[in-house]
Amino acid sequence: MATILVIEDNPANMALATFLLQSVGHEVLSTIDAEAGLTLARERQPALVLMDIQLPGMDGLKATALLKRDAATRAIPVIALTALAMSGDEERIRAAGCDGYIAKPFAYREFLATIAAQLAQSSRPAQP
Ligand code: MN
């Protein structure tokens, strides 16, 4: 399966995301900190990043923008993990460079379906 980097500071959400991802065979890299996440993304080249938006210190939107600005990590898809539900948030998330988002609290099937769809999309050859 795939190596997936999860950047999430809430222990319950991290535990649940890790459990769900491992239950379908993915390898999980985890950190609670955006800066550590940027380093892990460069060094380990995960197939996908799950990015909490609200993090202590650098937030997930800023971290995503930095990932997408760096040639070493720009191709890695980023799915935002967001409790934000106000109108305009999806636009902010897309503007930062996120490829999609998953709302918290996680709905198990939707969580895994969103990830499977993103991984399938990234593994297809680019269209001319
Ligand atoms: Mn958070």
Side-chain angles (χ1 to χ4, degrees):
M1 299 301 281
T3 298
I4 298 179
L5 170 60
V6 184
I7 305 173
E8 165 64 80
D9 67 313
N10 178 286
N13 287 332
M14 175 64 87
L16 180 55
T18 299
F19 173 79
L20 290 171
L21 293 169
Q22 290 179 342
S23 75
V24 293
H26 296 307
E27 180 190 6
V28 177
L29 307 173
S30 60
T31 177
I32 62 170
D33 176 82
E35 270 141 3
L38 295 177
T39 301
L40 273 171
R42 275 192 296 270
E43 291 179 352
R44 302 290 302 274
Q45 295 289 309
L48 177 66
V49 175
L50 300 185
M51 179 76 78
D52 183 24
I53 297 304
Q54 292 167 302
L55 292 165
M58 186 194 302
D59 73 26
L61 294 178
K62 169 85 171 160
T64 299
L66 290 175
L67 280 175
K68 295 296 183 179
R69 200 177 299 159
D70 184 339
T73 52
R74 154 183 314 155
I76 304 170
V78 177
I79 293 179
L81 304 177
T82 178
L84 307 174
M86 291 156 51
S87 82
D89 287 337
E90 180 168 2
E91 287 78 2
R92 285 173 55 225
I93 287 164
R94 298 277 181 191
C98 293
D99 299 276
Y101 71 95
I102 294 173
K104 295 189 274 195
F106 304 137
Y108 300 180
R109 283 182 183 214
E110 184 190 353
F111 178 90
L112 290 173
T114 300
I115 286 158
Q118 181 62 59
L119 290 173
Q121 187 177 325
S122 346
S123 67
R124 273 202 296 273
Q127 300 299 311

